[in-house]
Short mmCIF file of all heavy atoms in Angstrom, two decimals:
data_model
loop_
_atom_site.label_atom_id
_atom_site.label_comp_id
_atom_site.label_asym_id
_atom_site.label_seq_id
_atom_site.Cartn_x
_atom_site.Cartn_y
_atom_site.Cartn_z
N MET A 1 6.15 -1.75 22.04
CA MET A 1 4.81 -2.15 21.60
C MET A 1 4.78 -2.24 20.08
O MET A 1 5.34 -1.40 19.38
CB MET A 1 3.77 -1.12 22.07
CG MET A 1 3.58 -1.06 23.56
SD MET A 1 2.78 -2.56 24.19
CE MET A 1 1.15 -2.38 23.48
N SER A 6 -3.05 -1.12 9.25
CA SER A 6 -4.12 -1.93 8.65
C SER A 6 -4.35 -1.49 7.21
O SER A 6 -4.45 -0.29 6.93
CB SER A 6 -5.42 -1.77 9.44
OG SER A 6 -5.25 -2.17 10.78
N GLY A 11 -10.13 -2.50 -4.05
CA GLY A 11 -9.95 -1.88 -5.36
C GLY A 11 -10.52 -2.63 -6.54
O GLY A 11 -10.44 -2.15 -7.66
N TYR A 18 -22.47 -6.66 -9.44
CA TYR A 18 -23.17 -5.79 -10.38
C TYR A 18 -24.67 -6.13 -10.38
O TYR A 18 -25.02 -7.29 -10.27
CB TYR A 18 -22.60 -6.00 -11.79
CG TYR A 18 -23.17 -5.07 -12.82
CD1 TYR A 18 -22.60 -3.83 -13.05
CD2 TYR A 18 -24.30 -5.42 -13.56
CE1 TYR A 18 -23.13 -2.96 -13.99
CE2 TYR A 18 -24.84 -4.56 -14.50
CZ TYR A 18 -24.25 -3.33 -14.71
OH TYR A 18 -24.79 -2.47 -15.63
N PRO A 27 -16.64 -1.85 -1.56
CA PRO A 27 -16.72 -1.52 -0.13
C PRO A 27 -17.80 -0.48 0.19
O PRO A 27 -18.24 -0.41 1.33
CB PRO A 27 -15.33 -0.96 0.19
CG PRO A 27 -14.44 -1.53 -0.85
CD PRO A 27 -15.28 -1.60 -2.09
N VAL A 29 -20.87 -0.40 -1.08
CA VAL A 29 -22.23 -0.91 -1.23
C VAL A 29 -22.94 -0.89 0.13
O VAL A 29 -22.40 -1.36 1.13
CB VAL A 29 -22.20 -2.35 -1.79
CG1 VAL A 29 -23.59 -2.99 -1.76
CG2 VAL A 29 -21.65 -2.35 -3.21
N ALA A 71 -17.78 9.63 8.08
CA ALA A 71 -17.96 8.65 9.16
C ALA A 71 -16.75 8.51 10.08
O ALA A 71 -16.91 8.20 11.26
CB ALA A 71 -18.31 7.28 8.56
N ASN A 79 -4.11 9.66 17.48
CA ASN A 79 -3.09 9.30 16.50
C ASN A 79 -3.63 8.32 15.47
O ASN A 79 -2.89 7.52 14.89
CB ASN A 79 -1.85 8.69 17.19
CG ASN A 79 -0.63 8.70 16.28
OD1 ASN A 79 -0.49 9.60 15.46
ND2 ASN A 79 0.23 7.72 16.43
N ILE A 109 5.38 3.62 -0.50
CA ILE A 109 5.87 4.97 -0.29
C ILE A 109 5.07 5.69 0.79
O ILE A 109 5.59 6.53 1.52
CB ILE A 109 5.83 5.77 -1.62
CG1 ILE A 109 6.53 7.11 -1.45
CG2 ILE A 109 4.41 5.94 -2.11
CD1 ILE A 109 6.68 7.88 -2.76
N GLN A 114 4.95 5.59 8.20
CA GLN A 114 4.36 5.28 9.51
C GLN A 114 5.26 4.38 10.36
O GLN A 114 4.96 4.14 11.53
CB GLN A 114 2.99 4.61 9.32
CG GLN A 114 1.99 5.41 8.49
CD GLN A 114 1.68 6.75 9.10
OE1 GLN A 114 1.65 6.89 10.32
NE2 GLN A 114 1.42 7.75 8.26
N GLY A 124 -12.14 -6.12 1.76
CA GLY A 124 -13.20 -5.13 1.94
C GLY A 124 -14.60 -5.66 1.72
O GLY A 124 -15.56 -4.88 1.76
N LEU A 136 -3.16 -10.80 16.36
CA LEU A 136 -1.78 -10.30 16.39
C LEU A 136 -0.98 -10.95 17.52
O LEU A 136 0.17 -11.35 17.32
CB LEU A 136 -1.78 -8.79 16.55
CG LEU A 136 -0.39 -8.14 16.70
CD1 LEU A 136 0.41 -8.28 15.42
CD2 LEU A 136 -0.51 -6.68 17.11
N THR A 150 -7.60 -18.41 8.98
CA THR A 150 -8.28 -19.49 8.27
C THR A 150 -9.57 -19.85 8.99
O THR A 150 -9.75 -19.55 10.17
CB THR A 150 -7.39 -20.75 8.20
OG1 THR A 150 -7.05 -21.15 9.54
CG2 THR A 150 -6.12 -20.48 7.42
N MET A 164 -5.37 -24.65 3.06
CA MET A 164 -4.08 -24.72 3.73
C MET A 164 -3.86 -26.10 4.35
O MET A 164 -4.77 -26.66 4.96
CB MET A 164 -4.00 -23.67 4.84
CG MET A 164 -4.30 -22.26 4.39
SD MET A 164 -2.98 -21.63 3.34
CE MET A 164 -3.69 -20.07 2.82
N ALA A 207 -9.64 -23.15 5.14
CA ALA A 207 -9.71 -22.23 4.00
C ALA A 207 -9.13 -20.88 4.40
O ALA A 207 -9.39 -20.38 5.50
CB ALA A 207 -11.16 -22.07 3.54
N ILE A 234 1.63 -14.71 -4.06
CA ILE A 234 2.50 -14.35 -2.93
C ILE A 234 2.46 -15.41 -1.84
O ILE A 234 3.51 -15.85 -1.35
CB ILE A 234 2.10 -12.97 -2.37
CG1 ILE A 234 2.30 -11.89 -3.44
CG2 ILE A 234 2.91 -12.66 -1.12
CD1 ILE A 234 3.72 -11.73 -3.91
N THR A 238 5.59 -17.53 -0.30
CA THR A 238 6.10 -17.26 1.05
C THR A 238 6.13 -18.52 1.91
O THR A 238 6.98 -18.64 2.80
CB THR A 238 5.25 -16.18 1.75
OG1 THR A 238 3.88 -16.59 1.78
CG2 THR A 238 5.37 -14.85 1.05
N PHE A 262 -24.66 -11.73 -0.79
CA PHE A 262 -25.05 -10.44 -0.23
C PHE A 262 -26.51 -10.46 0.21
O PHE A 262 -26.85 -10.02 1.32
CB PHE A 262 -24.83 -9.34 -1.28
CG PHE A 262 -25.32 -7.99 -0.85
CD1 PHE A 262 -24.53 -7.15 -0.08
CD2 PHE A 262 -26.59 -7.54 -1.21
CE1 PHE A 262 -24.98 -5.90 0.32
CE2 PHE A 262 -27.06 -6.30 -0.82
CZ PHE A 262 -26.25 -5.48 -0.05
N THR A 266 -27.77 -10.45 4.19
CA THR A 266 -28.57 -9.32 4.64
C THR A 266 -29.90 -9.77 5.20
O THR A 266 -30.33 -9.33 6.28
CB THR A 266 -28.79 -8.32 3.49
OG1 THR A 266 -27.53 -7.93 2.95
CG2 THR A 266 -29.51 -7.08 4.00
N TYR A 286 -19.40 0.71 13.32
CA TYR A 286 -19.47 2.16 13.14
C TYR A 286 -19.92 2.52 11.73
O TYR A 286 -19.74 1.75 10.78
CB TYR A 286 -18.10 2.79 13.43
CG TYR A 286 -17.57 2.48 14.80
CD1 TYR A 286 -16.65 1.45 15.00
CD2 TYR A 286 -18.02 3.18 15.92
CE1 TYR A 286 -16.17 1.14 16.26
CE2 TYR A 286 -17.54 2.88 17.19
CZ TYR A 286 -16.62 1.86 17.35
OH TYR A 286 -16.16 1.55 18.61
N ARG A 304 -40.24 -10.15 11.52
CA ARG A 304 -38.85 -10.46 11.19
C ARG A 304 -38.32 -9.42 10.18
O ARG A 304 -37.88 -9.76 9.09
CB ARG A 304 -38.70 -11.87 10.64
CG ARG A 304 -39.03 -12.97 11.65
CD ARG A 304 -38.70 -14.34 11.11
NE ARG A 304 -39.37 -14.58 9.83
CZ ARG A 304 -40.62 -14.98 9.71
NH1 ARG A 304 -41.37 -15.22 10.78
NH2 ARG A 304 -41.14 -15.17 8.51
N GLU A 309 -33.32 4.47 10.45
CA GLU A 309 -33.81 5.79 10.77
C GLU A 309 -34.48 6.46 9.57
O GLU A 309 -34.12 6.22 8.42
CB GLU A 309 -32.67 6.70 11.24
CG GLU A 309 -31.87 6.17 12.41
CD GLU A 309 -30.57 5.56 11.99
OE1 GLU A 309 -30.57 4.79 11.00
OE2 GLU A 309 -29.56 5.85 12.65
N GLU A 330 -45.74 3.29 0.92
CA GLU A 330 -47.11 3.79 0.96
C GLU A 330 -48.13 2.70 1.29
O GLU A 330 -47.79 1.53 1.49
CB GLU A 330 -47.45 4.46 -0.38
CG GLU A 330 -46.52 5.60 -0.78
CD GLU A 330 -46.65 6.82 0.11
OE1 GLU A 330 -47.52 6.83 1.01
OE2 GLU A 330 -45.88 7.78 -0.10
N LEU A 335 -44.23 -6.37 1.21
CA LEU A 335 -42.83 -6.69 0.96
C LEU A 335 -42.48 -8.01 1.64
O LEU A 335 -42.73 -8.18 2.84
CB LEU A 335 -41.91 -5.59 1.49
CG LEU A 335 -41.65 -4.36 0.61
CD1 LEU A 335 -42.94 -3.60 0.33
CD2 LEU A 335 -40.64 -3.43 1.27
N VAL A 338 -37.31 -8.58 1.09
CA VAL A 338 -36.86 -7.42 0.32
C VAL A 338 -35.76 -6.68 1.07
O VAL A 338 -35.83 -6.48 2.28
CB VAL A 338 -38.04 -6.46 0.04
CG1 VAL A 338 -37.55 -5.15 -0.57
CG2 VAL A 338 -39.06 -7.13 -0.87
N ARG A 373 -38.52 -11.04 -2.88
CA ARG A 373 -37.17 -11.51 -3.21
C ARG A 373 -36.46 -10.52 -4.15
O ARG A 373 -36.13 -10.83 -5.29
CB ARG A 373 -37.20 -12.90 -3.83
CG ARG A 373 -35.83 -13.58 -3.90
CD ARG A 373 -35.93 -15.04 -4.27
NE ARG A 373 -34.65 -15.64 -4.57
CZ ARG A 373 -33.73 -16.01 -3.68
NH1 ARG A 373 -33.97 -15.85 -2.40
NH2 ARG A 373 -32.59 -16.57 -4.07
N ASN A 385 -49.50 0.07 -7.63
CA ASN A 385 -50.10 -1.13 -8.24
C ASN A 385 -49.10 -1.97 -9.04
O ASN A 385 -49.44 -2.54 -10.08
CB ASN A 385 -51.28 -0.72 -9.15
CG ASN A 385 -52.32 0.11 -8.41
OD1 ASN A 385 -52.78 -0.27 -7.34
ND2 ASN A 385 -52.67 1.27 -8.98
N PHE A 390 -43.31 -11.79 -8.28
CA PHE A 390 -44.36 -12.78 -8.04
C PHE A 390 -44.68 -13.60 -9.28
O PHE A 390 -45.63 -14.38 -9.29
CB PHE A 390 -45.63 -12.09 -7.53
CG PHE A 390 -45.54 -11.64 -6.10
CD1 PHE A 390 -45.02 -10.41 -5.78
CD2 PHE A 390 -45.95 -12.48 -5.07
CE1 PHE A 390 -44.91 -10.00 -4.46
CE2 PHE A 390 -45.85 -12.09 -3.74
CZ PHE A 390 -45.33 -10.84 -3.44
N PRO A 394 -39.18 -17.62 -12.48
CA PRO A 394 -38.12 -16.67 -12.09
C PRO A 394 -37.44 -16.10 -13.32
O PRO A 394 -37.24 -16.81 -14.32
CB PRO A 394 -37.15 -17.53 -11.27
CG PRO A 394 -37.96 -18.72 -10.83
CD PRO A 394 -38.95 -18.96 -11.91
#
Side-chain angles (χ1 to χ4, degrees):
M1 293 291 291
S6 301
Y18 185 88
V29 172
N79 198 31
I109 189 173
Q114 303 300 326
L136 176 67
T150 58
M164 306 290 174
I234 298 298
T238 56
F262 174 85
T266 305
Y286 303 98
R304 295 187 305 278
E309 304 101 315
E330 302 292 357
L335 276 61
V338 171
R373 193 169 169 77
N385 305 309
F390 285 87

